[in-house]
Amino acid sequence: MHYDGTIFWTAASLIALTILGLVINALPEWRIIGESGLLPIVACWSAINIVVLFLACMMALQASACRGEERFDLDEPVWIFAPSGALSTGRTKNISLSGAAVLVDEERAIASKVGDNVRVFIAEIGFVAATVVRQAGRLLAVHFNLPPCVERDLLIRKLFTAGLDATTVNASAFSSLGAMLMSIWSARGRLPKLQPTAEPASPSPAKLPAQSLVVPPPRHSQHLAKLAAERSIAA
């Protein structure tokens, strides 16, 4: 959970002070506003301020993303090879450039566990090095370890040129509001302590020598379509 401490605590303090002011003016003995006719107007503006400050708190909080790339719905068979060589088969639930969610077949035991470095065979792409990052029953979430290579080019081609639909999340307004409140409440115990750091001395600017940038052609000369067709055969 990442957050901006200054914005979060300032907005939270102002919300608390606004609510405290409403409570004080609701009691005749402690009332600060003398004209009772102004109380509805003050309460209305206070409610608006609370909503705005609440949104500021939400903007200061940012939950850790489970996957950094856009997900696409995909239902295809995949093969997962564990470090020991054991094979698990399943079908993808969704896939992105950074990982995939795989439903493992019930006929086979799950040969991989969280933290294992595995090899995933995906049709039209080939073998992809990955790490198992999450397991929930028969669902495995793997993170692809893809440097710039032909497999990454094939995966980009598969995701963005095959007409796949991006994964959509349908949520009601009440469920979204409840999730936001729960994220704020659960973030209270996970907020890291900010440590003051000394600013490093700025180095003196140095003029770099002029250089020419040469972009070499891609190493593989085969067309991606032909290469994808060759790798569409099951392992």
Side-chain angles (χ1 to χ4, degrees), residues 7 11 30 42 79 92 117 133 136 154 172 198 200 214 229 232:
I7 297 177
W30 296 350
V42 173
W79 295 260
T92 55
N117 294 322
V133 294
L154 290 172
S172 63
V214 179
S232 62

Side-chain angles (χ1 to χ4, degrees), residues 44 87 100 104 157 161 212 219:
C44 180
L87 172 64
V104 181
R157 174 185 176 274
T161 65
S212 299
R219 295 182 180 179

Side-chain angles (χ1 to χ4, degrees), residues 95-166:
I95 189 172
S96 68
L97 283 177
S98 59
V102 180
L103 291 173
V104 181
D105 293 335
E106 297 182 356
E107 292 78 8
R108 289 179 177 266
I110 300 178
S112 305
K113 59 181 182 298
V114 176
D116 286 349
N117 294 322
V118 298
R119 299 173 66 218
V120 183
F121 183 87
I122 306 174
E124 300 182 7
I125 297 173
F127 285 99
V128 176
T131 303
V132 180
V133 294
R134 183 166 53 89
Q135 179 181 356
R138 309 296 298 182
L139 179 66
L140 285 181
V142 296
H143 173 74
F144 295 150
N145 304 320
L146 273 179
C149 57
V150 65
E151 284 78 13
R152 181 177 177 84
D153 295 339
L154 290 172
L155 181 58
I156 294 174
R157 174 185 176 274
K158 184 181 183 70
L159 294 181
F160 296 99
T161 65
L164 300 179
D165 294 329

Side-chain angles (χ1 to χ4, degrees), residues 14-185:
L14 291 176
I15 290 176
L17 291 175
T18 304
I19 295 176
L20 180 62
L22 290 175
V23 173
I24 291 176
N25 286 278
L27 302 176
E29 297 82 4
W30 296 350
R31 183 173 297 170
I32 300 175
I33 301 175
E35 295 292 336
S36 59
L38 296 178
L39 289 178
I41 300 176
V42 173
C44 180
W45 279 110
S46 298
I48 295 175
N49 290 337
I50 291 174
V51 172
V52 174
L53 292 171
F54 174 78
L55 295 177
C57 286
M58 290 305 304
M59 293 175 62
L61 291 173
Q62 181 180 3
S64 301
C66 295
R67 205 179 300 175
E69 299 289 345
E70 185 179 7
R71 304 184 187 189
F72 293 88
D73 293 327
L74 183 65
D75 183 12
E76 284 187 354
V78 292
W79 295 260
I80 303 175
F81 292 86
S84 61
L87 172 64
S88 299
T89 60
R91 302 188 71 87
T92 55
K93 183 179 179 181
N94 56 67
I95 189 172
S96 68
L97 283 177
S98 59
V102 180
L103 291 173
V104 181
D105 293 335
E106 297 182 356
E107 292 78 8
R108 289 179 177 266
I110 300 178
S112 305
K113 59 181 182 298
V114 176
D116 286 349
N117 294 322
V118 298
R119 299 173 66 218
V120 183
F121 183 87
I122 306 174
E124 300 182 7
I125 297 173
F127 285 99
V128 176
T131 303
V132 180
V133 294
R134 183 166 53 89
Q135 179 181 356
R138 309 296 298 182
L139 179 66
L140 285 181
V142 296
H143 173 74
F144 295 150
N145 304 320
L146 273 179
C149 57
V150 65
E151 284 78 13
R152 181 177 177 84
D153 295 339
L154 290 172
L155 181 58
I156 294 174
R157 174 185 176 274
K158 184 181 183 70
L159 294 181
F160 296 99
T161 65
L164 300 179
D165 294 329
T167 302
T168 57
V169 178
N170 297 321
S172 63
F174 292 104
S175 62
S176 301
L177 178 61
M180 288 191 299
L181 293 175
M182 289 300 297
S183 65
I184 291 179
W185 181 260

